[in-house]
Amino acid sequence: MGTGLTWLKATAEAMLPRIDLPDLLFEVHSWTGFLDAFGHVSERRTRMEGLLVSLVALLVVESRDIGLAPSSRRRTRR
């Protein structure tokens, strides 16, 4: 990477706030209410407590392509 690009990358990174993705999603939700757009396919209101936390967790998992299955599996020794 050339010196100009290195400088640009360092400058841009220094300007960005250090925030975790879940915190960012909650902040954007506080401005826009975007998490309220997610609902059950039956269109009924959910009785689940902590739905917003679950939605944010799901969005983080999907954005990092982790998947819902455990990332490590117990290995058996031979």
Side-chain angles (χ1 to χ4, degrees):
M1 193 179 319
T3 18
L5 289 177
T6 303
W7 173 86
L8 180 62
K9 181 177 186 270
T11 303
E13 285 179 349
M15 295 169 73
L16 296 173
R18 302 285 179 231
I19 185 169
D20 290 331
L21 181 56
D23 293 333
L24 176 63
L25 292 173
F26 282 122
E27 183 72 21
V28 171
H29 173 67
S30 74
W31 303 333
T32 64
F34 85 98
L35 291 173
D36 296 332
F38 292 91
H40 193 275
V41 70
S42 71
E43 297 183 0
R44 293 185 182 168
R45 286 189 54 91
T46 183
R47 293 177 285 167
M48 182 179 167
E49 292 182 30
L51 178 63
L52 295 182
V53 173
S54 295
L55 284 172
V56 167
L58 180 64
L59 290 172
V60 169
V61 164
E62 288 298 320
S63 72
R64 296 183 178 177
D65 199 21
I66 296 170
L68 297 175
S71 58
S72 64
R73 302 209 187 275
R74 186 177 285 182
R75 293 183 180 185
T76 56
R77 294 184 184 228
R78 294 181 190 196

mmCIF file of all heavy atoms in Angstrom, residues 3 5 8 13 27 32 38 45 53 61 68 73 77:
data_model
loop_
_atom_site.group_PDB
_atom_site.id
_atom_site.type_symbol
_atom_site.label_atom_id
_atom_site.label_comp_id
_atom_site.label_asym_id
_atom_site.label_seq_id
_atom_site.Cartn_x
_atom_site.Cartn_y
_atom_site.Cartn_z
ATOM 1 N N THR A 3 2.190 5.208 0.459
ATOM 2 C CA THR A 3 2.162 6.067 1.645
ATOM 3 C C THR A 3 0.888 6.893 1.721
ATOM 4 O O THR A 3 0.358 7.104 2.796
ATOM 5 C CB THR A 3 3.386 7.013 1.668
ATOM 6 O OG1 THR A 3 3.963 7.094 0.403
ATOM 7 C CG2 THR A 3 4.348 6.649 2.714
ATOM 8 N N LEU A 5 -2.111 6.059 0.588
ATOM 9 C CA LEU A 5 -3.202 5.191 1.023
ATOM 10 C C LEU A 5 -3.061 4.804 2.488
ATOM 11 O O LEU A 5 -4.058 4.711 3.209
ATOM 12 C CB LEU A 5 -3.270 3.944 0.143
ATOM 13 C CG LEU A 5 -3.762 4.171 -1.284
ATOM 14 C CD1 LEU A 5 -3.723 2.868 -2.072
ATOM 15 C CD2 LEU A 5 -5.162 4.742 -1.289
ATOM 16 N N LEU A 8 -4.223 7.791 4.417
ATOM 17 C CA LEU A 8 -5.670 7.919 4.314
ATOM 18 C C LEU A 8 -6.374 6.904 5.197
ATOM 19 O O LEU A 8 -7.327 7.236 5.912
ATOM 20 C CB LEU A 8 -6.114 7.765 2.856
ATOM 21 C CG LEU A 8 -7.612 7.874 2.604
ATOM 22 C CD1 LEU A 8 -8.121 9.252 3.015
ATOM 23 C CD2 LEU A 8 -7.921 7.593 1.141
ATOM 24 N N GLU A 13 -9.525 5.792 9.932
ATOM 25 C CA GLU A 13 -9.747 4.954 11.111
ATOM 26 C C GLU A 13 -9.728 5.779 12.391
ATOM 27 O O GLU A 13 -10.487 5.508 13.324
ATOM 28 C CB GLU A 13 -8.701 3.845 11.190
ATOM 29 C CG GLU A 13 -8.944 2.728 10.196
ATOM 30 C CD GLU A 13 -7.889 1.638 10.257
ATOM 31 O OE1 GLU A 13 -6.846 1.819 10.927
ATOM 32 O OE2 GLU A 13 -8.098 0.613 9.599
ATOM 33 N N GLU A 27 -28.059 1.939 19.068
ATOM 34 C CA GLU A 27 -28.044 3.392 18.875
ATOM 35 C C GLU A 27 -28.860 3.778 17.647
ATOM 36 O O GLU A 27 -29.688 4.692 17.700
ATOM 37 C CB GLU A 27 -26.598 3.884 18.729
ATOM 38 C CG GLU A 27 -26.460 5.371 18.600
ATOM 39 C CD GLU A 27 -26.727 6.127 19.883
ATOM 40 O OE1 GLU A 27 -26.646 5.528 20.972
ATOM 41 O OE2 GLU A 27 -27.019 7.336 19.801
ATOM 42 N N THR A 32 -34.061 5.476 14.800
ATOM 43 C CA THR A 32 -34.954 5.144 13.683
ATOM 44 C C THR A 32 -36.072 4.177 14.032
ATOM 45 O O THR A 32 -37.077 4.129 13.329
ATOM 46 C CB THR A 32 -34.153 4.505 12.533
ATOM 47 O OG1 THR A 32 -33.611 3.257 12.981
ATOM 48 C CG2 THR A 32 -33.034 5.418 12.058
ATOM 49 N N PHE A 38 -39.086 -5.674 12.433
ATOM 50 C CA PHE A 38 -39.005 -7.131 12.472
ATOM 51 C C PHE A 38 -40.175 -7.658 13.289
ATOM 52 O O PHE A 38 -40.467 -7.163 14.366
ATOM 53 C CB PHE A 38 -37.693 -7.601 13.104
ATOM 54 C CG PHE A 38 -36.484 -7.287 12.277
ATOM 55 C CD1 PHE A 38 -35.801 -6.094 12.452
ATOM 56 C CD2 PHE A 38 -36.043 -8.175 11.320
ATOM 57 C CE1 PHE A 38 -34.684 -5.791 11.694
ATOM 58 C CE2 PHE A 38 -34.924 -7.883 10.548
ATOM 59 C CZ PHE A 38 -34.256 -6.686 10.733
ATOM 60 N N ARG A 45 -48.297 -9.917 17.868
ATOM 61 C CA ARG A 45 -47.306 -9.320 18.756
ATOM 62 C C ARG A 45 -46.640 -10.430 19.557
ATOM 63 O O ARG A 45 -47.276 -11.377 19.967
ATOM 64 C CB ARG A 45 -47.958 -8.333 19.722
ATOM 65 C CG ARG A 45 -48.362 -7.045 19.044
ATOM 66 C CD ARG A 45 -48.807 -5.998 20.043
ATOM 67 N NE ARG A 45 -47.836 -5.742 21.092
ATOM 68 C CZ ARG A 45 -46.880 -4.824 21.032
ATOM 69 N NH1 ARG A 45 -46.750 -4.111 19.955
ATOM 70 N NH2 ARG A 45 -46.062 -4.637 22.044
ATOM 71 N N VAL A 53 -32.926 -7.507 22.141
ATOM 72 C CA VAL A 53 -31.598 -8.085 22.368
ATOM 73 C C VAL A 53 -31.407 -9.309 21.483
ATOM 74 O O VAL A 53 -30.351 -9.495 20.871
ATOM 75 C CB VAL A 53 -31.409 -8.445 23.860
ATOM 76 C CG1 VAL A 53 -30.112 -9.200 24.077
ATOM 77 C CG2 VAL A 53 -31.446 -7.189 24.716
ATOM 78 N N VAL A 61 -24.722 -12.166 14.531
ATOM 79 C CA VAL A 61 -24.314 -13.510 14.109
ATOM 80 C C VAL A 61 -24.368 -13.626 12.592
ATOM 81 O O VAL A 61 -23.432 -14.121 11.965
ATOM 82 C CB VAL A 61 -25.217 -14.578 14.768
ATOM 83 C CG1 VAL A 61 -25.088 -15.920 14.077
ATOM 84 C CG2 VAL A 61 -24.886 -14.722 16.234
ATOM 85 N N LEU A 68 -25.832 -20.170 13.460
ATOM 86 C CA LEU A 68 -26.447 -20.416 14.753
ATOM 87 C C LEU A 68 -25.943 -21.691 15.420
ATOM 88 O O LEU A 68 -26.129 -21.897 16.600
ATOM 89 C CB LEU A 68 -27.970 -20.477 14.606
ATOM 90 C CG LEU A 68 -28.606 -19.172 14.115
ATOM 91 C CD1 LEU A 68 -30.099 -19.371 13.896
ATOM 92 C CD2 LEU A 68 -28.360 -18.041 15.085
ATOM 93 N N ARG A 73 -17.003 -28.013 17.944
ATOM 94 C CA ARG A 73 -17.658 -29.286 18.253
ATOM 95 C C ARG A 73 -16.710 -30.115 19.125
ATOM 96 O O ARG A 73 -15.498 -30.053 18.975
ATOM 97 C CB ARG A 73 -17.974 -30.035 16.973
ATOM 98 C CG ARG A 73 -18.853 -29.227 16.034
ATOM 99 C CD ARG A 73 -19.698 -30.148 15.194
ATOM 100 N NE ARG A 73 -20.410 -29.430 14.182
ATOM 101 C CZ ARG A 73 -21.579 -28.843 14.377
ATOM 102 N NH1 ARG A 73 -22.142 -28.862 15.552
ATOM 103 N NH2 ARG A 73 -22.183 -28.222 13.383
ATOM 104 N N ARG A 77 -11.450 -38.507 21.029
ATOM 105 C CA ARG A 77 -10.063 -38.977 20.785
ATOM 106 C C ARG A 77 -10.097 -40.427 20.377
ATOM 107 O O ARG A 77 -10.858 -41.212 20.890
ATOM 108 C CB ARG A 77 -9.227 -38.810 22.050
ATOM 109 C CG ARG A 77 -9.056 -37.366 22.390
ATOM 110 C CD ARG A 77 -8.159 -37.236 23.580
ATOM 111 N NE ARG A 77 -8.091 -35.825 23.941
ATOM 112 C CZ ARG A 77 -6.985 -35.213 24.175
ATOM 113 N NH1 ARG A 77 -5.838 -35.848 24.141
ATOM 114 N NH2 ARG A 77 -6.981 -33.948 24.508
#
